[in-house]
Amino acid sequence: MNAPWTGNPWLRRALAAIGQTVLVLFVVSVVSFVFLKLTPGDPVTVMLGSDFSQESYDKLYHDLGLDLPWALQYWHWLLNFVQGDWGQSYVSHQDIFDLAVKEALPVTLTLAGLSLLIALVVGIPLGVVAAVRRNSWADVLASVTAIGGNAFPSFFLGVVLIWVFGVWLGWFPTMGYVSPWQDFRAGLWHLALPALTLGAWYVGLIAAVTRSSLLEVLGQPYMAAARARGEPQWRVIWVHGMRNVLMPLVTVIGLQLGGMLRGAVMTEVVFTLPGLGMMITQAVQTREYTVVQAGIMMTALLFVLVNFVVDQTYVLLDPRLRKK
């Protein structure tokens, strides 16, 4: 008798994705745990300060379980982690689960989502105009934007935007965070410069991919057939053309979302946003390795979820994959 999931391709894909997710997270947890143990520094010294006795040091070292073998320390951490008990921060005395999931994660997701929205809203129309008006001023503008956006790292562009629009012109706040879910206008005002900093690089990339893919599509026979039927130019481009540009565009977006999460780390530090990047940076400085481990696991989980969503998007966009 066959197992119930063998005849259901969607269920098989879901089970395979879950298995891959568990495997990736396990490998990431082991590697990060070992590297954090090899990192110089002593969390006990950070907790006790500069004036402490050897007796108090030994007691705290034992209470934290740091005198156990690494394998046993990892096993205890893993059991607590999967049960939702991530421990407490040595510095703030907050629950690490609340610190990472309830406070830092929404900030990083909001920043990455707004940056991606800016990149799509600006990059796709710019790429379409560049493809339709090839070798025109619009094409030159798109090329210059792509090169300019890729030329500056996020931390440098962030400092420039802070100085120009925050210090010199005084149009936007230079630091701090307000949740858009609590105050939409103030939240967008505080996230404008960080999102523009993070999204600028992807504007040029998305414009370049859209332009090259659409130029290839415009020469296909079905595009000439659509024009021969007398369909408007906007429909030929945005309906028939962009439908076939979505696949390479989704591929690039999926591959670059991981880079966007990495860029969010540096952007959060530049603009002092309380996201995962700032949380991990501060935890490294104070030797809070349990907080760093939680941040790494959250980042790895985001990578895996993004790849899963991209895979499912392929199936929705390509009828051939749905048939398979």
Side-chain angles (χ1 to χ4, degrees):
M1 183 176 179
N2 293 331
W5 58 78
T6 56
N8 191 326
W10 290 96
L11 187 56
R12 288 202 306 269
R13 286 176 60 89
L15 292 175
I18 293 174
Q20 293 173 1
T21 300
V22 173
L23 180 60
V24 169
L25 293 180
F26 174 73
V27 173
V28 169
S29 68
V30 172
V31 173
S32 60
F33 184 87
V34 172
F35 272 92
L36 289 175
K37 285 297 180 182
L38 295 174
T39 303
D42 188 353
V44 177
T45 305
V46 175
M47 296 174 64
L48 293 177
S50 58
D51 187 14
F52 58 88
S53 64
Q54 186 63 38
E55 182 181 355
S56 60
Y57 178 91
D58 294 338
K59 183 179 184 304
L60 184 56
Y61 197 84
H62 173 74
D63 292 341
L64 294 176
L66 298 177
D67 55 346
L68 298 174
W70 285 7
L72 194 55
Q73 290 184 44
Y74 173 78
W75 178 248
H76 289 166
W77 172 85
L78 183 62
L79 289 179
N80 293 329
F81 186 85
V82 297
Q83 295 174 13
D85 182 11
W86 296 5
Q88 283 191 337
S89 169
Y90 303 151
V91 177
S92 64
H93 303 289
Q94 286 182 273
D95 188 87
I96 297 178
F97 181 86
D98 294 338
L99 187 65
V101 177
K102 296 182 180 180
E103 296 182 14
L105 180 61
V107 178
T108 300
L109 291 180
T110 303
L111 174 61
L114 187 58
S115 303
L116 179 60
L117 180 62
I118 291 175
L120 292 175
V121 170
V122 178
I124 291 179
L126 196 61
V128 171
V129 172
V132 174
R133 301 182 179 276
R134 187 178 183 182
N135 297 326
S136 67
W137 65 267
D139 193 7
V140 175
L141 177 62
S143 301
V144 171
T145 302
I147 297 174
N150 295 336
F152 301 104
S154 60
F155 67 89
F156 176 78
L157 181 59
V159 172
V160 172
L161 292 179
I162 287 175
W163 186 81
V164 174
F165 295 101
V167 178
W168 184 35
L169 297 176
W171 291 354
F172 296 96
T174 58
M175 62 182 61
Y177 175 76
V178 177
S179 174
W181 312 110
Q182 297 177 355
D183 189 333
F184 184 75
R185 184 175 180 179
L188 291 183
W189 206 247
H190 280 78
L191 284 173
L193 292 183
L196 184 59
T197 299
L198 186 58
W201 191 87
Y202 299 95
V203 168
L205 178 64
I206 290 176
V209 173
T210 303
R211 176 187 180 277
S212 60
S213 301
L214 188 57
L215 283 175
E216 182 179 351
V217 169
L218 289 175
Q220 298 299 319
Y222 58 83
M223 297 293 287
R227 295 189 187 94
R229 291 194 298 267
E231 296 190 26
Q233 178 71 357
W234 68 266
R235 182 176 177 83
V236 172
I237 299 298
W238 288 99
V239 177
H240 300 289
M242 289 303 297
R243 180 184 299 172
N244 294 277
V245 174
L246 286 178
M247 286 295 290
L249 197 59
V250 168
T251 302
V252 171
I253 293 173
L255 293 174
Q256 296 301 324
L257 275 179
M260 181 170 286
L261 292 174
R262 292 194 302 269
V265 173
M266 185 61 68
T267 304
E268 288 170 0
V269 174
V270 172
F271 290 92
T272 63
L273 298 178
L276 287 175
M278 179 63 73
M279 184 192 76
I280 294 174
T281 302
Q282 293 176 343
V284 170
Q285 294 173 348
T286 57
R287 305 297 189 272
E288 291 191 274
Y289 298 137
T290 51
V291 178
V292 177
Q293 183 86 356
I296 293 174
M297 295 299 294
M298 290 300 304
T299 305
L301 181 60
L302 289 177
F303 273 93
V304 174
L305 291 178
V306 165
N307 290 331
F308 176 76
V309 171
V310 171
D311 288 341
Q312 299 306 311
T313 305
Y314 288 155
V315 177
L316 294 176
L317 293 177
D318 194 336
R320 295 170 298 179
L321 295 179
R322 288 199 297 268
K323 292 179 180 179
K324 292 181 181 180

